[in-house]
Coordinates of all heavy atoms in Angstrom, one line a residue:
G236 N -4.7 32.6 122.8 CA -3.5 33.4 122.9 C -3.5 34.5 123.8 O -2.6 35.4 123.8
T237 N -4.5 34.6 124.7 CA -4.5 35.7 125.7 C -3.9 35.3 127.1 O -3.9 36.1 128.0 CB -5.9 36.2 125.9 OG1 -6.8 35.2 126.4 CG2 -6.5 36.8 124.6
A238 N -3.5 34.1 127.2 CA -2.9 33.6 128.5 C -1.7 34.4 128.8 O -0.8 34.6 127.9 CB -2.7 32.1 128.5
Q239 N -1.5 34.8 130.0 CA -0.5 35.7 130.4 C 0.5 35.1 131.4 O 0.0 34.5 132.4 CB -1.1 37.0 131.0 CG -0.2 38.1 131.3 CD -1.0 39.3 131.9 OE1 -2.0 39.1 132.5 NE2 -0.5 40.5 131.7
L240 N 1.8 35.1 131.1 CA 2.7 34.5 132.0 C 2.8 35.2 133.4 O 3.3 34.6 134.4 CB 4.1 34.5 131.4 CG 4.5 33.4 130.5 CD1 6.0 33.4 130.2 CD2 4.0 32.0 131.0
G241 N 2.2 36.4 133.5 CA 2.0 36.9 134.9 C 1.1 36.2 135.8 O 1.1 36.4 137.0
D242 N 0.3 35.3 135.2 CA -0.6 34.4 136.0 C 0.3 33.3 136.6 O 0.8 32.4 135.9 CB -1.6 33.8 135.0 CG -2.6 32.8 135.7 OD1 -2.4 32.5 136.9 OD2 -3.5 32.4 135.0
S243 N 0.4 33.3 137.9 CA 1.3 32.3 138.6 C 0.9 30.9 138.4 O 1.7 30.0 138.5 CB 1.4 32.7 140.1 OG 0.1 32.6 140.7
A244 N -0.4 30.7 138.0 CA -0.8 29.3 137.8 C -0.2 28.7 136.6 O -0.1 27.4 136.4 CB -2.4 29.3 137.6
L245 N 0.4 29.5 135.7 CA 1.0 29.0 134.5 C 2.5 28.8 134.7 O 3.2 28.5 133.7 CB 0.8 29.9 133.3 CG -0.7 30.1 132.9 CD1 -0.8 31.0 131.7 CD2 -1.4 28.8 132.7
L246 N 3.1 29.0 135.9 CA 4.5 28.9 136.1 C 4.8 27.6 136.8 O 5.9 27.4 137.2 CB 5.1 30.1 136.8 CG 5.0 31.4 136.0 CD1 5.7 32.5 136.8 CD2 5.7 31.2 134.6
D247 N 3.8 26.7 137.0 CA 4.0 25.4 137.5 C 2.8 24.6 137.1 O 1.9 24.3 138.0 CB 4.2 25.4 139.0 CG 4.7 24.0 139.6 OD1 5.0 23.1 138.7 OD2 4.7 23.8 140.8
A248 N 2.7 24.2 135.9 CA 1.5 23.6 135.3 C 1.7 22.6 134.3 O 2.7 22.7 133.5 CB 0.6 24.7 134.8
V249 N 0.9 21.6 134.3 CA 0.9 20.5 133.2 C -0.3 20.8 132.3 O -1.5 20.7 132.8 CB 0.9 19.1 133.8 CG1 0.9 18.1 132.7 CG2 2.1 18.9 134.7
T250 N -0.1 21.1 131.1 CA -1.2 21.3 130.1 C -1.5 20.0 129.4 O -0.7 19.1 129.2 CB -0.9 22.4 129.1 OG1 0.2 22.0 128.2 CG2 -0.4 23.7 129.9
A251 N -2.8 19.9 129.0 CA -3.3 18.8 128.2 C -4.4 19.2 127.3 O -4.7 20.4 127.2 CB -3.8 17.7 129.2
G252 N -4.9 18.3 126.5 CA -6.0 18.5 125.6 C -5.7 18.5 124.2 O -6.4 18.9 123.3
F253 N -4.5 18.0 123.8 CA -4.1 17.9 122.4 C -4.7 16.7 121.8 O -4.8 15.6 122.3 CB -2.5 17.8 122.3 CG -1.9 19.0 122.9 CD1 -1.4 19.1 124.2 CD2 -1.7 20.2 122.1 CE1 -0.8 20.2 124.7 CE2 -1.1 21.3 122.6 CZ -0.6 21.3 123.9
T254 N -5.2 16.8 120.5 CA -5.8 15.8 119.8 C -5.2 15.5 118.5 O -5.6 14.5 117.8 CB -7.3 16.1 119.6 OG1 -7.4 17.3 118.9 CG2 -8.1 16.2 120.9
A255 N -4.2 16.3 118.1 CA -3.5 16.0 116.8 C -2.1 16.5 116.9 O -1.7 17.3 117.7 CB -4.2 16.8 115.7
A256 N -1.3 15.9 116.1 CA 0.2 16.3 116.0 C 0.3 17.2 114.7 O -0.4 17.0 113.7 CB 1.0 15.0 115.9
P257 N 1.3 18.1 114.8 CA 2.1 18.4 115.9 C 1.4 19.2 117.0 O 0.5 19.9 116.7 CB 3.3 19.2 115.3 CG 2.6 19.9 114.2 CD 1.7 18.9 113.6
A258 N 1.8 18.9 118.3 CA 1.3 19.8 119.4 C 2.2 21.0 119.5 O 3.4 20.8 119.4 CB 1.3 19.0 120.7
R259 N 1.6 22.2 119.6 CA 2.5 23.4 119.5 C 2.2 24.4 120.6 O 1.0 24.5 121.1 CB 2.2 24.1 118.2 CG 2.7 23.3 117.0 CD 2.5 24.2 115.7 NE 1.2 24.4 115.3 CZ 0.5 23.7 114.4 NH1 1.1 22.7 113.8 NH2 -0.8 24.0 114.2
L260 N 3.2 25.1 121.0 CA 3.1 26.2 122.0 C 3.7 27.4 121.3 O 4.9 27.3 120.9 CB 3.8 25.8 123.3 CG 3.8 26.9 124.4 CD1 3.8 26.3 125.8 CD2 5.0 27.8 124.3
E261 N 3.0 28.5 121.3 CA 3.5 29.7 120.8 C 3.7 30.7 121.9 O 2.9 30.9 122.8 CB 2.5 30.3 119.7 CG 3.0 31.6 119.1 CD 2.0 32.2 118.2 OE1 0.8 31.7 118.1 OE2 2.4 33.2 117.4
L262 N 4.9 31.3 121.9 CA 5.3 32.3 122.9 C 5.5 33.7 122.2 O 6.2 33.8 121.3 CB 6.6 31.9 123.6 CG 7.0 32.8 124.8 CD1 6.1 32.5 126.0 CD2 8.5 32.5 125.1
R263 N 4.8 34.7 122.8 CA 4.9 36.1 122.3 C 5.5 36.9 123.5 O 4.8 37.2 124.5 CB 3.6 36.6 121.8 CG 3.0 35.9 120.7 CD 3.9 36.0 119.4 NE 3.2 35.4 118.3 CZ 2.4 36.0 117.5 NH1 2.1 37.3 117.6 NH2 1.8 35.4 116.4
H264 N 6.7 37.3 123.3 CA 7.4 38.2 124.3 C 7.8 39.5 123.7 O 8.2 39.5 122.5 CB 8.7 37.4 124.8 CG 9.5 38.2 125.9 ND1 10.3 39.2 125.6 CD2 9.5 38.0 127.2 CE1 10.9 39.7 126.7 NE2 10.4 38.9 127.7
P265 N 7.6 40.6 124.4 CA 7.8 41.9 123.7 C 9.2 42.2 123.2 O 9.4 43.0 122.3 CB 7.4 42.9 124.8 CG 7.5 42.2 126.1 CD 7.1 40.8 125.7
L266 N 10.2 41.5 123.7 CA 11.6 41.7 123.3 C 12.2 40.5 122.5 O 13.4 40.5 122.3 CB 12.4 42.0 124.5 CG 12.0 43.3 125.3 CD1 12.9 43.4 126.6 CD2 12.0 44.5 124.5
L267 N 11.3 39.6 122.1 CA 11.8 38.4 121.4 C 10.9 38.3 120.1 O 9.8 38.7 120.0 CB 11.6 37.2 122.2 CG 12.5 37.0 123.4 CD1 12.1 35.8 124.2 CD2 14.0 37.1 123.1
P268 N 11.5 37.6 119.1 CA 10.6 37.3 117.9 C 9.6 36.2 118.3 O 9.8 35.5 119.3 CB 11.7 36.8 116.9 CG 12.8 36.2 117.7 CD 12.8 37.1 118.9
P269 N 8.5 36.1 117.5 CA 7.6 35.0 117.7 C 8.3 33.7 117.7 O 9.2 33.4 116.9 CB 6.6 35.1 116.6 CG 6.7 36.6 116.2 CD 8.1 37.0 116.4
L270 N 8.0 32.8 118.7 CA 8.7 31.6 118.9 C 7.7 30.5 119.1 O 6.7 30.6 119.9 CB 9.6 31.7 120.1 CG 10.5 30.5 120.5 CD1 11.8 31.1 121.1 CD2 9.9 29.5 121.4
V271 N 7.8 29.4 118.4 CA 6.9 28.2 118.4 C 7.7 27.0 118.7 O 8.6 26.6 118.0 CB 6.1 28.1 117.1 CG1 5.1 26.9 117.2 CG2 5.3 29.3 116.8
V272 N 7.3 26.3 119.8 CA 7.9 25.0 120.1 C 6.8 23.9 119.8 O 5.7 24.0 120.2 CB 8.2 24.9 121.7 CG1 8.8 23.5 122.0 CG2 9.2 26.0 122.0
S273 N 7.3 22.9 119.0 CA 6.3 21.9 118.6 C 6.9 20.5 118.9 O 8.1 20.3 119.1 CB 6.1 21.9 117.0 OG 5.6 23.2 116.6
Q274 N 6.0 19.5 119.0 CA 6.5 18.1 119.2 C 5.6 17.2 118.4 O 4.4 17.4 118.3 CB 6.5 17.7 120.7 CG 5.1 17.8 121.4 CD 5.2 17.2 122.8 OE1 5.8 16.2 123.0 NE2 4.5 17.9 123.7
W275 N 6.1 16.1 118.0 CA 5.4 15.0 117.3 C 6.3 13.7 117.4 O 7.4 13.8 117.9 CB 5.0 15.4 115.9 CG 6.2 15.6 114.9 CD1 6.8 14.7 114.2 CD2 6.8 16.8 114.7 NE1 7.8 15.2 113.4 CE2 7.8 16.6 113.7 CE3 6.6 18.1 115.1 CZ2 8.6 17.6 113.2 CZ3 7.4 19.1 114.6 CH2 8.4 18.9 113.6

Side-chain angles (χ1 to χ4, degrees):
T237 61
Q239 188 177 29
L240 276 191
D242 180 352
S243 60
L245 298 182
L246 295 183
D247 189 10
V249 179
T250 69
F253 298 94
T254 57
R259 293 187 292 262
L260 178 148
E261 181 182 12
L262 185 77
R263 297 296 184 90
H264 180 282
L266 300 178
L267 296 175
L270 186 149
V271 180
V272 180
S273 303
Q274 63 170 316
W275 63 89

